[in-house]
Amino acid sequence: MCGIFGYIGKRDTALELVIEGLKKLEYRGYDSWGVAAELNGSLFIEKQVGKISEADLSPIKGKNVHMAMGHTRWATHGGVTQINAHPHFSWDKKIAVVHNGIIENYEEVREFVGKEKFVSQTDTEVIAHLIGHFRQTMPFKEAVLAAIHKLKGRYAIVVMNVGEPHLIAARRGSPLILGIGKGETFLASDIPAFLEYTQDVMYLDDNELATVGESVAFFSIETGAPLEKRVVNIDWKAESAEKGEYDHFMLKEIMEQKDSILRAINQNDEEILEIAEAIKKSRGCFFSGCGTAGKVCMAAEYFFSIIANRHVNFAPASEFPIYHHFLRPESLLIVVSQSGETADVLEAMEAAKKKGAKVLSIVNVAGSTIARTSDYSLQIKAGPEKAVASTKAATSQLALLLLIAYAIRGDLQEGRRVLAEAASAVNDMLNPRFLTYVKGVAENIKNHENAYIIGKAENYPMALEAAIKIQEVSYIHAEGFAAGELKHGPIALISKGTPCISLIANDEVKQDIISNTIELKARGAHIIGISPENHEVFDQWIRVPDVGVASPLVNLIPIQLMAYYLGVLRGHNPDMPRNLAKSVTVK
Ligand code: G6P
């Protein structure tokens, strides 16, 4: 949610580097963008509405500087306009700021610095004026510290001050990472943005500030005292964050499930058993996550019940804090997050920690805030996921949670066998013939404005996930239901030809969901069955392998492909759905 990129160092192409970095961060927000640098002793700022990948870069050409910063925006406060795009600057044009997060007390600060100074409708502009205010009487770093002491909310900021040879970065609640190269330093909202230049990173943690110039120094925001920091080497390849031969990241990431599921279950046995033990010992085990990760958590409720005979509770992270009444030191909160930076998840963790409960996180991004601030953390090892719609992360999260459920039952090796079989089934499915077939199904329904998906047991959360996938990529109004709930309302929405997708597994509830599918058909629905076996009720059948309780892993594959093709066929860019962002770092 908003991307920040900064550069300072030996190259004089800082503005171009920032533009390239922002393009890699575009998935975090793409309604407008802007860059700032110091040119001949004054502030140069270029801002444009629209995607940076489609921008007119002529104003940047030939401007050779060694220090620059930029921002790609996902609007929160203030509409999508050129003025509201970042960087924002102080009234005297000496201070420029890029910001990811939300300043909650911006109205109060606006009064403090003087309303007449403001040109935009954003919360961010208060930061620039506030720093400008203190800078009149204080050195750069002290002015930034004084300003952020007055701010409430979440932020990652990078600040430039005309005449100063360094940038200042600070964070509370939103990510910002330093990439340490030879004679140059990068600042970015995520690591892949600078991965082609360096794999050495330094994490800026919450309540920390860094001065980034010829050298880098870290300070506590609270006390201003210097902090010791380590350089960490990241084991990621730059090309894994590129599209390669594919038209879109989404398709590339769907195809990567050929091996990402296997990586997810390739975990250290001892660690998994320890986690299984912690879950068994807990009194009150809660799962929480947002969006797709939330649907995975919901599936875990079924996995834990069916496989491990264990009761766990799920609440979406935005709803979780209200459950604090049930939390105590023996409770365990398991959070699932691809990015490891989602604000609602961090708030859920805070609620649990306040009551002394332990937190286990399942994340994709190593070193993310959620990973670093939980008591135990496991990585799904899916590699960078760039498309806004989560695909490979979801199947990896499902696989790891299933494995843990087996470990709780005392059957870790059996779990591994079941999942290895499912992973190999996914590998087989992702062949060109299957892709063409699913594309054909998408062709058939692409002109409909409504679609419904039903599932039962562990495939009920997958029906909800299917709806998210179709909504975000194709903008078709899609909704998922528990198959048995149809007759209590949603069936009224069905008319002749309405596309309905039925997610079926070869399990004890198969006959029930078939009956529900027949009920839909009787009202005129066009039935797409996703199932190991064909049935006469299906108008179209997408065959998936029979992998027992791991069926959500295989049922999601055609759903992801169908959403992708629906998006493409309806003329949308599936990697950057309107109004959405990959990493949601605001509440
Ligand atoms: C956003 C993304 C979703 C994602 C959700 C949770 O809404 O668009 O794809 O599932 O955030 O993100 P997380 O990184 O916590 O899994």
Side-chain angles (χ1 to χ4, degrees):
M1 179 142 299
C2 295
I4 291 178
F5 197 93
Y7 174 84
I8 178 160
K10 58 190 179 196
R11 305 177 215 218
D12 68 357
T13 50
L15 277 166
E16 280 93 339
L17 284 163
V18 167
I19 298 278
E20 287 314 308
L22 290 179
K23 283 185 185 165
K24 297 203 175 76
L25 291 168
E26 208 174 10
Y27 70 91
R28 300 178 69 89
Y30 32 82
D31 51 42
S32 51
W33 64 272
V35 291
E38 184 180 331
L39 263 183
N40 310 321
S42 48
L43 202 56
F44 163 78
I45 291 192
E46 174 65 22
K47 308 193 206 189
Q48 290 177 19
V49 168
K51 296 189 171 88
I52 195 162
S53 48
E54 295 161 4
D56 166 20
L57 296 178
S58 52
I60 310 276
K61 288 240 163 67
K63 302 210 161 46
N64 294 343
V65 289
H66 291 270
M67 179 171 88
M69 64 184 198
H71 184 271
T72 177
R73 181 168 187 241
W74 186 87
T76 53
H77 291 64
V80 180
T81 62
Q82 196 241 3
I83 284 184
N84 286 341
H86 300 214
H88 289 281
F89 45 87
S90 55
W91 75 95
D92 57 0
K93 287 221 168 167
K94 295 272 190 254
I95 301 285
V97 173
V98 286
H99 167 222
N100 171 202
I102 286 185
I103 302 303
E104 287 162 10
N105 60 338
Y106 72 99
E107 276 167 343
E108 179 191 319
V109 182
R110 192 187 281 239
E111 295 285 334
F112 175 80
V113 292
K115 277 182 176 167
E116 66 291 347
K117 295 197 172 81
F118 285 78
V119 293
S120 79
Q121 286 79 50
T122 64
D123 54 331
T124 302
E125 195 182 346
V126 302
I127 311 175
H129 293 310
L130 198 55
I131 297 173
H133 167 82
F134 289 115
R135 185 68 181 93
Q136 297 174 106
T137 53
M138 295 176 189
F140 185 23
K141 176 164 74 82
E142 281 64 28
V144 175
L145 277 172
I148 54 188
H149 284 156
K150 274 196 164 295
L151 299 176
K152 293 202 180 104
R154 292 180 179 274
Y155 56 79
I157 54 171
V158 180
V159 191
M160 182 181 282
N161 185 175
V162 172
E164 295 287 348
H166 58 276
L167 297 167
I168 291 188
R171 96 166 249 184
R172 182 162 78 208
S174 301
L176 197 58
I177 301 120
L178 275 64
I180 310 296
K182 289 201 174 75
E184 55 189 354
T185 306
F186 304 83
L187 288 141
S189 303
D190 81 9
I191 295 169
F194 55 65
L195 211 49
E196 62 178 294
Y197 308 108
T198 180
Q199 293 194 322
D200 288 335
V201 310
M202 289 176 97
Y203 292 107
L204 184 67
D205 282 309
D206 273 353
N207 300 313
E208 290 181 1
L209 173 147
T211 53
V212 186
E214 247 176 48
S215 60
V216 173
F218 286 77
F219 302 88
S220 153
I221 286 180
E222 228 169 277
T223 63
L227 299 168
E228 286 292 315
K229 280 277 170 173
R230 273 183 327 122
V231 175
V232 181
N233 186 268
I234 294 293
D235 184 20
W236 277 3
K237 300 255 176 320
E239 51 293 0
S240 58
E242 300 297 336
K243 274 195 295 227
E245 69 197 82
Y246 295 97
D247 289 342
H248 298 103
F249 279 111
M250 185 175 176
L251 184 58
K252 176 186 179 232
E253 288 158 9
I254 292 172
M255 296 306 283
E256 282 174 354
Q257 292 170 112
K258 278 169 172 269
D259 48 38
S260 56
I261 298 173
L262 271 186
R263 282 202 302 276
I265 57 170
N266 182 13
Q267 303 277 346
N268 177 301
D269 278 5
E270 258 171 49
E271 223 177 323
I272 295 287
L273 291 171
E274 228 176 89
I275 281 162
E277 232 10 75
I279 295 173
K280 280 206 251 177
K281 271 208 215 115
S282 67
R283 309 238 339 258
C285 178
F286 296 83
F287 274 89
S288 199
C290 297
T292 294
K295 304 303 172 269
V296 168
C297 290
M298 219 173 145
E301 278 190 311
Y302 289 92
F303 293 156
F304 276 54
S305 160
I306 297 168
I307 297 164
N309 195 16
R310 180 105 207 155
H311 173 225
V312 294
N313 308 274
F314 161 69
S318 54
E319 292 291 318
F320 183 80
I322 198 69
Y323 286 94
H324 67 87
H325 303 286
F326 300 112
L327 297 170
R328 43 194 167 162
E330 312 81 63
S331 314
L332 175 67
L333 170 64
I334 303 180
V335 293
V336 180
S337 172
Q338 188 286 127
S339 63
E341 301 292 350
T342 303
D344 286 331
V345 177
L346 285 164
E347 293 245 334
M349 291 168 68
E350 273 165 35
K353 284 185 197 165
K354 257 195 205 143
K355 290 293 182 93
K358 291 264 181 292
V359 179
L360 160 65
S361 64
I362 295 187
V363 299
N364 190 29
V365 179
S368 56
T369 311
I370 291 173
R372 283 179 297 130
T373 54
S374 38
D375 298 290
Y376 325 87
S377 187
L378 283 178
Q379 268 175 54
I380 58 168
K381 305 183 218 167
E385 190 182 69
K386 306 279 279 195
V388 166
S390 184
T391 53
K392 62 175 177 171
T395 46
S396 292
Q397 291 159 349
L398 285 166
L400 185 48
L401 287 170
L402 248 173
L403 190 70
I404 295 173
Y406 274 100
I408 294 175
R409 187 172 88 182
D411 262 344
L412 179 57
Q413 294 323 326
E414 168 65 2
R416 200 159 260 139
R417 190 195 60 73
V418 169
L419 281 157
E421 252 179 57
S424 119
V426 168
N427 190 341
D428 292 346
M429 282 166 87
L430 285 167
N431 63 61
R433 220 163 43 134
F434 188 74
L435 266 62
T436 309
Y437 184 74
V438 177
K439 189 175 180 187
V441 177
E443 280 276 4
N444 243 313
I445 61 170
K446 68 170 197 246
N447 294 325
H448 286 264
E449 286 312 315
N450 300 292
Y452 301 100
I453 308 101
I454 59 167
K456 204 167 167 61
E458 69 277 12
N459 278 304
Y460 161 42
M462 295 305 101
L464 303 182
E465 165 58 8
I468 298 186
K469 240 17 16 117
I470 296 173
Q471 288 159 7
E472 58 187 346
V473 185
S474 72
Y475 314 152
I476 290 174
H477 166 234
E479 281 196 62
F481 298 106
E485 283 295 298
L486 278 177
K487 53 190 174 291
H488 301 293
I491 204 158
L493 300 169
I494 307 302
S495 58
K496 192 165 181 335
T498 310
C500 291
I501 304 170
S502 201
L503 298 177
I504 302 176
N506 251 345
D507 58 12
E508 58 186 296
V509 297
K510 178 177 167 186
Q511 277 322 312
D512 293 337
I513 186 165
I514 292 273
S515 303
N516 300 135
T517 310
I518 292 169
E519 287 155 20
L520 284 170
K521 175 93 166 193
R523 273 80 186 172
H526 173 84
I527 305 290
I528 299 162
I530 296 183
S531 154
E533 281 155 16
N534 201 353
H535 192 280
E536 59 188 10
V537 71
F538 301 157
D539 294 294
Q540 289 184 289
W541 174 41
I542 301 180
R543 181 190 192 147
V544 290
D546 184 359
V547 291
V549 68
S551 88
L553 274 91
V554 297
N555 282 353
L556 271 193
I557 305 291
I559 287 293
Q560 296 168 347
L561 285 168
M562 207 185 307
Y564 171 75
Y565 287 122
L566 283 170
V568 173
L569 291 167
R570 287 166 66 96
H572 308 309
N573 176 354
D575 287 345
M576 289 182 206
R578 68 183 178 205
N579 306 340
L580 296 175
K582 178 82 180 149
S583 182
V584 183
T585 52
V586 292
K587 276 210 284 175

